[in-house]
């Protein structure tokens, strides 16, 4: 499956990640921080109804999803990052290609957070 | 780990045996005098420094193991927590206090926002400060500097722009 620019990407937010959301419903830069594998895990949720999205989150994080950060694939692409759609689990993709330079890496993550929106469950 | 509070009894490796919270509280107690001078008006809806320091302890405890987010996150080290505490203490009083969050790369992430502008600082406990400010898609400012107990002027300027 090819990801197109207007595809919607969802990053499920769980209790351990509660600080990834601002008090007024924004998404913090930390929400897009990369772990040891250098990837940010997302799901492609284009054309899904909201209840379907929550069900999908429940399938992978049972009883854990407290909300979601979502953004258009275009935001990721315009930052020079890539979306690796692997469909494992279904609809799963990784945002990859983050620079190794720590400051530029932070700038890229920040740009994703600026454009992302939060939806509380 | 470098020394963090020259006025206080230095922490030793042995302190770790009392647990993170004990060590952190010892460090926190070093700030009591400073906390008063940094505390904003009680009428202002701004968190106090002591609240942030407590939250830093909480974050370190919650994220002290690798994979704390079940997605491969790097653990938040005690050094990162101490460095973050020192950073908060060193922030000039006229600056807005940041929101804080653990970063999956093992850093403590500080965040300031003003409208659509955003400024982040990350500290990982390795004597370097990583910063980035986003004003628009084509107007950004980011960099990395050594950090040894003095906040670089550039970082102060960027945080000031969020006030």
């Amino acid at each position: 499956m090819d990801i197109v620019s207007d595809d919607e990407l969802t990053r499920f937010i769980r209790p351990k990640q509660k600080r990834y959301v601002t008090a007024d419903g924004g998404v913090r830069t930390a929400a897009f921080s990369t772990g040891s594998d250098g990837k940010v895990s997302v799901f492609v949720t284009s054309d899904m109804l909201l209840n379907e999205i929550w069900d999908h989150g429940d399938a992978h994080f049972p009883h854990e999803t407290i909300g979601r950060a979502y953004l258009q694939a275009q935001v990721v692409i315009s930052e020079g990052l890539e979306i690796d759609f692997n469909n494992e689990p279904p609809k799963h993709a990784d945002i990859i290609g983050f620079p190794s330079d720590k400051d530029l890496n932070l700038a890229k993550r920040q740009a994703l957070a600026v454009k992302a929106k939060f939806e509380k469950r | 780990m470098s020394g963090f509070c020259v006025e206080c009894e230095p922490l030793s490796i042995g302190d770790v045996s009392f647990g993170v919270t004990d060590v952190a509280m010892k460090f926190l107690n070093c700030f009591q005098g400073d906390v008063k001078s940094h505390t904003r008006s009680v009428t202002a809806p701004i968190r106090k420094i002591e609240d942030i320091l407590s939250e830093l302890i909480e974050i370190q405890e919650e994220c002290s193991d690798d994979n704390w987010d079940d997605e491969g996150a790097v653990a938040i080290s005690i050094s990162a927590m101490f460095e973050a505490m020192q950073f908060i203490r060193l922030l000039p009083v006229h600056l807005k206090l940041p929101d804080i969050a653990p970063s999956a790369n093992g850093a403590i992430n500080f965040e300031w926002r003003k409208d659509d502008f955003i400024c982040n600082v990350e500290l990982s406990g390795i004597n370097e400060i990583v910063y980035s400010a986003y004003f628009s898609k084509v107007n950004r400012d980011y960099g990395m500097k050594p950090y040894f107990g003095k906040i670089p002027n550039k970082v102060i300027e960027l945080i000031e722009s969020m006030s």
Side-chain angles (χ1 to χ4, degrees), chain A residues 1-98:
Chain A
M1 176 180 169
D2 290 328
I3 304 295
V4 295
S5 59
D6 60 352
D7 268 324
E8 181 188 84
L9 306 177
T10 286
R11 181 149 170 76
F12 289 110
I13 305 294
R14 292 166 295 132
K16 290 176 180 175
Q17 301 163 325
K18 59 182 184 287
R19 291 184 177 86
Y20 286 178
V21 182
T22 67
D24 59 355
V27 180
R28 292 198 210 288
T29 296
F32 293 100
S33 54
T34 54
S36 52
D37 62 0
K39 302 174 181 177
V40 172
S41 173
V42 294
F43 289 85
V44 181
T45 51
S46 312
D47 302 323
M48 291 176 75
L49 298 173
L50 190 55
N51 64 317
E52 292 174 334
I53 292 173
W54 297 135
D55 287 347
H56 201 71
D58 285 341
H60 306 293
F61 309 110
H63 312 297
E64 276 204 315
T65 306
I66 59 174
R68 69 178 186 128
Y70 64 100
L71 74 171
Q72 277 198 319
Q74 171 61 30
V75 177
V76 177
I77 296 165
S78 70
E79 288 299 318
L81 304 172
E82 298 169 49
I83 302 160
D84 175 28
F85 181 76
N86 46 43
N87 210 30
E88 295 177 9
K91 297 186 181 295
H92 183 265
D94 287 309
I95 300 175
I96 60 173
F98 287 92

